[in-house]
Amino acid sequence: MNYSIDRAQVKANAKAQLGSNLFGKVWMMALVVILIQGAILTIAPSIPVVGSVATLVLTGPLSIGVSLVFLKLERGNSDIELSDIFVSFSNRFSKDFLLGLMISIFTFLWSLLFIIPGIIKAYSYSMSFYISLDHPDWDWKQCMEESKRITNGHKGELFVLDLSFIGWYLVGSLCCGIGTLWVTPYHMAAMANYYEALKGMNQAPVYEAPVAPQAPVVEAPVEEPQNPQG
C-alpha cells in the first residue's frame, strides 16, 4: 500500500534548508551551482564538431554534482562548495556518464510512443542520481530499477509537486526572468527532500529467517523401583 507524501512539508523543509534570506550564503551558493551546470550545458553544444556529444557526455556527471549539493542540504550539511558539482570527475565519471546516457535513451524511446509515456518514465527515473550517490557500488541498471521501484504509485505526486512551482516561476519571470533563478534551487531542494521521504517510506523490511519448529521433548517413563520379596 502506497501512502502519500506531504507536499507542503516537503516544500517547507526545502525552504528552511536554503534559509529565509534569498541572498544568504546557502541560497546563493545553491544558485551558483545551478548556474554553473546551466552554463556548461549551454556552451557545450556550440563546440564545433563534438558539441552534441559533449552535452551527452557531461549531462550525467553534472547532474550527479547538483544532486549531491541538494542531498547535502537535505541532510543538514549546509557547508556546500562549488567543487561539489565536479565530484563525478574524480573517480566515478564513466559510471555517472553511463547513468545519464541510459536515462536519456530510455526516456527518449518512451517518448516515441507519444509524449505522456516519456513524461511518466522521466518521473520513474527521476531519483536515479540520488540513489547512485547513496549506493556508489550500484551500476546504472540497479539505480534506475530502484528509482522505478520507489516512485511506483508516486509519479502523480511528483507531477503535482512540479506543478506547484509554476506560480513561483511566473512571479519570478516578472523580473525580466531573473527571479526564476532563485526558484530553481527551491525546486531542486524540494526534489531532494521528496527523495528522502520516498527512501524512508520504501525501506525494505529486515528479513528474519523462520524459526524451525522444535520437536517436542518426550521424556522416558521412569520405572519405580520394585521392593524385593523376602
Side-chain angles (χ1 to χ4, degrees):
M1 180 178 181
N2 288 317
Y3 296 94
S4 61
I5 293 174
D6 190 341
R7 183 175 69 255
Q9 187 62 54
V10 164
K11 296 175 74 173
N13 291 344
K15 192 180 295 184
Q17 290 152 15
L18 288 168
S20 57
N21 186 358
L22 292 177
F23 297 95
K25 178 183 175 181
V26 176
W27 206 310
M28 291 302 296
M29 186 66 73
L31 173 58
V32 171
V33 165
I34 289 175
L35 288 175
I36 292 174
Q37 180 198 34
I40 293 175
L41 294 181
T42 300
I43 295 172
S46 64
I47 301 175
V49 183
V50 297
S52 56
V53 175
T55 303
L56 201 59
V57 169
L58 293 173
T59 296
L62 290 176
S63 297
I64 280 287
V66 172
S67 299
L68 173 63
V69 167
F70 289 98
L71 209 55
K72 286 174 68 175
L73 285 178
E74 193 282 331
R75 293 174 179 175
N77 184 1
S78 59
D79 189 23
I80 56 177
E81 302 175 357
L82 294 181
S83 59
D84 288 335
I85 193 174
F86 302 111
V87 65
S88 181
F89 293 79
S90 55
N91 57 6
R92 49 177 296 159
F93 184 86
S94 58
K95 166 185 162 72
D96 298 334
F97 153 66
L98 192 57
L99 178 58
L101 177 64
M102 299 310 294
I103 290 175
S104 298
I105 290 175
F106 277 92
T107 304
F108 171 73
L109 292 177
W110 279 99
S111 297
L112 295 179
L113 301 176
F114 299 110
I115 300 299
I116 294 180
I119 294 174
I120 293 173
K121 285 301 175 180
Y123 282 117
S124 292
Y125 305 140
S126 61
M127 303 296 152
S128 299
F129 293 118
Y130 301 118
I131 292 168
S132 181
L133 287 167
D134 277 341
H135 301 277
D137 56 323
W138 287 12
D139 60 22
W140 64 267
K141 187 175 183 181
Q142 289 173 300
C143 294
M144 290 175 67
E145 287 297 323
E146 178 65 3
S147 181
K148 285 170 57 179
R149 185 185 76 84
I150 66 175
T151 56
N152 183 36
H154 296 279
K155 290 183 283 290
E157 280 185 357
L158 279 165
F159 179 67
V160 174
L161 177 62
D162 283 340
L163 285 180
S164 70
F165 283 93
I166 289 180
W168 288 96
Y169 283 112
L170 289 175
V171 172
S173 65
L174 297 178
C175 303
C176 301
I178 297 176
T180 59
L181 296 176
W182 275 262
V183 181
T184 306
Y186 179 25
H187 194 169
M188 294 297 295
M191 291 298 291
N193 277 268
Y194 196 92
Y195 162 70
E196 200 70 26
L198 275 179
K199 190 181 73 169
M201 182 180 293
N202 286 274
Q203 289 288 352
V206 177
Y207 176 74
E208 295 182 358
V211 179
Q214 296 181 350
V217 178
V218 179
E219 296 182 356
V222 179
E223 296 183 358
E224 297 181 357
Q226 297 179 356
N227 295 324
Q229 295 179 356

